[in-house]
Amino acid sequence: MEASELLERARSRASDPADPLEVLSAAIALCRDLSGEPGGAVDSLLDLAVCRAREAGASWTAVGERFGYIMRGPRRRFTPAFAHRHLVNRRMKRDAACSFCRRPPGPRVHMVHGEGGRICDRCVALAGDIVAGLARRGS
């Protein structure tokens, strides 16, 4: 099915067919119904609906709100509503990294875990060299 035909279907489902943002919302809902449609018809429909909304004077903020994006922070950047999962994953990776050099854990990276953090095998070797050097100087 062509994107223009799908847009007409979305327009017929919209609560106010004259409002391009309402048509965009209906197109988003229609895309959820057509998620298995072959040939990228869903992407074409969304592209066309967004273009029509922008041509009618809708702001990117208004378009983003229809997609479920939310505004956060003083710089007013868009963040998807599902971004908190990515931030949690990033925080978990950061917390699992070496507390000294921030080297991420991996199959060839050995970590020593303690109460206050973690230290990788390279930092352990470096610390051993530093302590051995101090011991030599003190003797």
Side-chain angles (χ1 to χ4, degrees):
M1 195 175 256
E2 292 293 317
S4 57
E5 295 171 0
L6 290 173
L7 188 63
E8 286 306 315
R9 267 177 70 184
R11 186 171 282 121
S12 67
R13 289 183 175 190
S15 59
D16 181 10
D19 183 10
L21 290 174
E22 288 298 321
V23 174
L24 177 61
S25 294
I28 293 168
L30 181 63
C31 286
R32 289 186 189 115
D33 297 341
L34 300 174
S35 59
E37 193 76 22
V42 169
D43 291 338
S44 300
L45 169 61
L46 290 178
D47 286 344
L48 186 59
V50 168
C51 286
R52 296 284 164 84
R54 290 289 293 153
E55 288 169 359
S59 68
W60 281 113
T61 303
V63 170
E65 287 171 353
R66 297 298 169 134
F67 277 98
Y69 285 82
I70 53 177
M71 303 274 287
R72 289 201 178 129
R75 294 177 61 200
R76 296 179 56 95
R77 294 186 329 187
F78 279 113
T79 306
F82 55 83
H84 68 280
R85 289 189 305 241
H86 300 292
L87 294 175
V88 167
N89 289 340
R90 185 183 306 161
R91 196 170 294 126
M92 286 173 48
K93 287 179 184 176
R94 184 196 67 211
D95 291 344
C98 176
S99 301
F100 293 90
C101 68
R102 290 287 170 219
R103 187 172 164 206
R108 294 186 178 152
V109 178
H110 301 288
M111 295 279 187
V112 177
H113 300 268
E115 274 186 48
R118 294 162 183 76
I119 185 169
C120 69
D121 51 354
R122 286 183 191 168
C123 290
V124 168
L126 181 61
D129 292 343
I130 291 170
V131 170
L134 291 173
R136 280 192 300 264
R137 270 200 270 164
S139 305

